[in-house]
Amino acid sequence: MTRAVAVELRGVSCEYRTRTGRVLAVEKLSMQASDREFVALLGPSGCGKSTLLKMVAGLVPATAGEVLVYGRPVVRPLESLGMVFQSPVLLRWRTVINNVLFPAEATGRRDAAMRERAMALLRLVGLTGFEDKYPHELSGGMAQRVSLARALLLEPTLLLMDEPFGALDALTREEMGIELLRIWQEQPKTILFVTHSISESVLLADRVIVMTPRPGRVAAEITIDLPRPRSGRMRVLPRFGELVSVLQDEMGIAT
Amino acid sequence: MSTSSGRTRSASDRLSFFGTPIATLAGLVALWQLVVSLFSIPTFILPGPLVVWRTAVEFGANWVPHVLATVAIALLGFGVAIVVGVLLAIIIVHSRTLSRVLTPAIVIMQIVPKIAFAPLFLIWFGLGPLPIVVVTFLVAFFPMVVNAAVGLAEIERDLLDLARVLRLNWWKVLWSIRFPTALPHIFGGLKIASTLAVIGAIIGEFVGSNRGLGYLILIANNNLNTPLALAAIALISLFGLALYAAIVLLEMISLPWKPVEAGGLESVAQV
């Protein structure tokens, strides 16, 4: 089973300037993600995984190397791109439905069909009946669901997620992860998922790329061979524990 | 999540919202009348509210040109302050270079005593409403610029990234993200600027005019007609209050997402 390469990084470095000097966030990093693959980028805080994601998004230029999405070099954000951030970044003056519709409206594609699609997405993320609420009336988990629905509106082929559930409590976090998998099963797309949670990466991903502390490089790539569909109950499987301890070793955590 | 505040106020809340300030005002007026009557203060020094009221009613249609003149000038100066203030804020937020040039100029303009310049404006802009509008504008525009600039600059990094992922141009970012984000701040600026615009108009009229409530106060003072002067001051205050109330109302209508705490002063102080 060979699938097209969705994302490819070849010897990519990223250096940026701060007030105190230059920081090498990512150094000579190479990786690939296949079409419709769920890849988790795992690493300690400040290892450059967010920078990596932003380079794929075309938000931050690589200072060396090549970033390719479906074979084309990334110079600016691509059209078929969905992005979910750690905070929901909803527009607080817009209702839930109008937040989900914002990408369509901003790009001049809002119509009745788009509205249908937005309603369907709200159903998909379990927010039917909340269309006309304002963001300040939502819980953190609900707000992040809206943010996910918004990212899915224009049917992106590539979904970039930057610690999307990092700000949620453990229970909501797992629930959201399982829900993301269900959505991904229904609408397959390539997902790059940044996280610093080992168990989250094992639960969700096809493959986990472990990054070193700054400057970020690939420390290891681990294929997660747990069956799909996944559920929270898989945590008790011996294989789950094995994979977690392998990743812990790779991240240099003594067990 | 406070859902009890803002749009869903109960009837008793609403009564105290309007009732308390009115009762306070009525109490003060009653105290004023009491003091004047009790100590038999002469009318030319301090007339009681009843005398002021009678004078105001007797003045009748004579009020019309003066009120119209002051209202027109205050609104015009306020309007120019809003437009110029918001435009300057947009420039400051978008260009670091222009911000470095403009910010000191704006601050200096605020520090310079504008009232002292008012007589010079008569020389520069001639007699008539123009110099008064200029004074009004100068007095009112500073809080507009500052508040609008703070609001327009207040945008999360991730939100800017989202805008770039959606490939929005700067105009779309300004119109559909920055401007709505800035609105609460802009309303804070409007509240302060509205009160200043009324003051600015009166100052301008003091310095050079032949019409308007400010002019009328000068004339009444010269004739020791204290009741008329006080009546004019009361009308000015009423106008300022109406303008402020209109802005608070507009704010409540246009910010349905924000639980407005009934337009209390804290919503000004916050910004």
Side-chain angles (χ1 to χ4, degrees):
Chain A
M1 187 175 75
T2 49
R3 285 188 290 191
V5 177
V7 179
E8 184 172 11
L9 276 73
R10 291 188 197 148
V12 168
S13 297
C14 181
E15 190 182 50
Y16 57 87
R17 254 180 277 180
T18 64
R19 226 173 276 188
T20 48
R22 287 162 180 276
V23 175
L24 188 60
V26 175
E27 188 181 34
K28 291 183 189 143
L29 186 146
S30 297
M31 62 152 281
Q32 281 191 356
S34 304
D35 189 38
R36 300 176 176 194
E37 191 182 15
F38 194 132
V39 176
L41 298 164
L42 178 68
S45 300
C47 74
K49 21 186 220 306
S50 292
T51 308
L52 192 153
L53 209 63
K54 284 185 176 174
M55 283 193 290
V56 175
L59 294 170
V60 171
T63 42
E66 265 188 306
V67 180
L68 303 167
V69 172
Y70 291 99
R72 281 183 304 174
V74 174
V75 279
R76 66 187 212 111
L78 296 160
E79 208 168 334
S80 55
L81 183 70
M83 194 148 180
V84 180
F85 302 87
Q86 181 168 6
S87 64
V89 284
L90 299 180
L91 306 176
R92 60 178 182 273
W93 55 92
R94 286 171 164 259
T95 56
V96 164
I97 182 80
N98 283 330
N99 262 291
V100 176
L101 280 167
F102 182 68
E105 199 178 302
T107 52
R109 273 182 281 175
R110 183 175 179 158
D111 55 24
M114 222 25 126
R115 204 189 144 80
E116 280 296 299
R117 186 170 160 68
M119 293 300 280
L121 282 169
L122 283 177
R123 207 172 314 129
L124 194 65
V125 298
L127 281 179
T128 305
F130 288 89
E131 304 86 64
D132 297 324
K133 296 274 184 218
Y134 283 98
H136 74 263
E137 296 169 301
L138 305 177
S139 68
M142 288 157 87
Q144 198 55 284
R145 285 162 205 259
V146 178
S147 160
L148 180 59
R150 175 178 63 188
L152 294 172
L153 183 74
L154 299 179
E155 305 188 289
T157 46
L158 176 61
L159 189 59
L160 303 177
M161 307 183 83
D162 190 359
E163 302 197 34
F165 311 138
L168 306 176
D169 62 88
L171 212 66
T172 315
R173 185 173 188 157
E174 176 158 319
E175 196 186 316
M176 291 288 291
I178 297 299
E179 219 161 302
L180 173 66
L181 287 181
R182 188 171 52 78
I183 291 165
W184 177 62
Q185 223 92 50
E186 274 185 46
Q187 309 179 350
K189 53 186 90 263
T190 312
I191 297 182
L192 288 191
F193 188 100
V194 164
T195 180
H196 59 248
S197 158
I198 291 172
S199 65
E200 189 176 52
S201 69
V202 172
L203 186 62
L204 301 181
D206 291 325
R207 196 153 53 90
V208 178
I209 294 178
V210 184
M211 287 176 69
T212 60
R214 186 181 292 161
R217 271 169 306 211
V218 175
E221 290 190 37
I222 310 291
T223 301
I224 306 299
D225 48 11
L226 293 169
R228 290 196 186 272
R230 307 247 176 99
S231 76
R233 264 172 293 170
M234 287 186 176
R235 287 179 190 284
V236 299
L237 295 177
R239 183 64 189 147
F240 193 100
E242 281 166 33
L243 287 164
V244 166
S245 70
V246 166
L247 288 169
Q248 275 173 336
D249 287 345
E250 294 297 346
M251 281 182 81
I253 298 169
T255 46
Chain B
M1 307 287 128
S2 59
T3 45
S4 63
S5 58
R7 284 154 291 140
T8 51
R9 262 196 311 276
S10 70
S12 72
D13 276 348
R14 205 163 296 195
L15 192 69
S16 71
F17 174 52
F18 291 111
T20 315
I22 290 173
T24 310
L25 202 65
L28 282 174
V29 170
L31 188 70
W32 172 12
Q33 183 66 55
L34 194 71
V35 168
V36 169
S37 309
L38 217 59
F39 300 102
S40 330
I41 299 172
T43 299
F44 75 93
I45 293 177
L46 183 64
L50 287 172
V51 179
V52 173
W53 174 255
R54 235 175 284 133
T55 311
V57 171
E58 274 163 24
F59 204 59
N62 293 325
W63 285 113
V64 175
H66 296 294
V67 169
L68 286 181
T70 302
V71 167
I73 280 173
L75 289 182
L76 201 61
F78 184 38
V80 177
I82 294 169
V83 173
V84 173
V86 171
L87 284 179
L88 280 176
I90 290 170
I91 293 169
I92 287 169
V93 168
H94 282 91
S95 161
R96 197 172 289 185
T97 318
L98 283 175
S99 164
R100 287 204 187 112
V101 176
L102 286 172
T103 307
I106 290 168
V107 172
I108 288 166
M109 269 171 80
Q110 173 65 4
I111 289 165
V112 163
K114 286 157 290 275
I115 301 162
F117 267 94
L120 293 176
F121 290 157
L122 290 181
I123 300 172
W124 296 339
F125 303 118
L127 291 168
L130 186 59
I132 310 174
V133 172
V134 172
V135 173
T136 307
F137 156 72
L138 284 178
V139 170
F141 100 108
F142 189 70
M144 275 321 300
V145 186
V146 173
N147 280 282
V150 168
L152 289 172
E154 187 194 77
I155 178 169
E156 295 162 80
R157 227 198 130 69
D158 284 350
L159 204 50
L160 274 182
D161 279 346
L162 177 73
R164 287 177 61 202
V165 166
L166 294 173
R167 319 209 290 182
L168 307 186
N169 57 27
W170 75 271
W171 166 251
K172 279 253 171 66
V173 174
L174 175 67
W175 181 248
S176 50
I177 297 180
R178 282 193 195 273
F179 193 67
T181 307
L183 260 189
H185 288 275
I186 290 177
F187 270 108
L190 285 174
K191 286 176 191 170
I192 301 169
S194 71
T195 62
L196 291 177
V198 176
I199 295 168
I202 301 301
I203 291 169
E205 286 174 353
F206 275 176
V207 175
S209 71
N210 50 14
R211 212 189 297 168
L213 292 171
Y215 165 77
L216 198 64
I217 290 171
L218 280 191
I219 300 298
N221 256 358
N222 289 343
N223 299 334
L224 284 186
N225 189 349
T226 315
L228 187 63
L230 283 175
I233 291 171
L235 269 181
I236 293 162
S237 312
L238 220 57
F239 167 55
L241 208 61
L243 192 58
Y244 189 90
I247 291 164
V248 171
L249 196 69
L250 196 66
E251 183 184 27
M252 283 169 152
I253 293 168
S254 49
L255 308 184
W257 74 86
K258 183 181 167 236
V260 181
E261 265 317 324
L265 272 186
E266 74 285 348
S267 53
V268 176
Q270 263 170 15
V271 296

